[in-house]
Amino acid sequence: MICNALCTVFRIDGDDIHPVWQGECMWQEVFGIEVKKYGAENADKAAVFIPDINADICEGDIVIRGECSDGEYAARNGLKIMSAARNDFGSEDMRHIELGAR
């Protein structure tokens, strides 16, 4: 898999924010703003492809582009993972986890 970025995934358990996974990934991001009747709303989205099929990543985690060790910063500026699909078919090079984040 071609990787163009590093990312860090954090999990929030009550008051505790701890890193779950960090490594290379394929990061595809869309910056956008939706205009609604009651004002503008942030509409940033990202599709993140992680080549580590054994990573413990699930919906509700926070993903941030780059290496990050500060959980508070990631919780404020990261994207929430809305979907996590494990694609464990094909050869070793094809297996990946696809994350949809918003």
Side-chain angles (χ1 to χ4, degrees):
M1 171 181 287
I2 297 173
C3 298
N4 66 353
L6 293 171
C7 73
T8 307
V9 178
F10 287 88
R11 182 162 297 147
I12 300 174
D13 291 325
D15 293 337
D16 185 34
I17 303 171
H18 58 276
V20 176
W21 187 86
Q22 184 175 43
E24 291 186 337
C25 67
M26 170 56 112
W27 186 284
Q28 298 174 346
E29 189 164 17
V30 175
F31 296 106
I33 295 178
E34 292 181 29
V35 179
K36 299 188 176 188
K37 286 193 278 186
Y38 51 84
E41 185 175 294
N42 192 359
D44 294 346
K45 294 186 249 182
V48 183
F49 302 90
I50 295 176
D52 183 5
I53 194 72
N54 298 318
D56 179 27
I57 300 172
C58 58
E59 294 177 18
D61 290 346
I62 303 293
V63 64
I64 190 163
R65 187 173 182 159
E67 294 181 24
C68 181
S69 59
D70 185 6
E72 295 294 327
Y73 176 81
R76 285 191 311 272
N77 298 311
L79 299 173
K80 184 176 181 181
I81 296 174
M82 306 304 279
S83 64
R86 296 190 191 288
N87 299 309
D88 59 352
F89 49 82
S91 69
E92 287 285 326
D93 294 337
M94 287 181 59
R95 296 178 185 157
H96 64 280
I97 299 174
E98 182 178 353
L99 305 176
R102 171 169 265 175

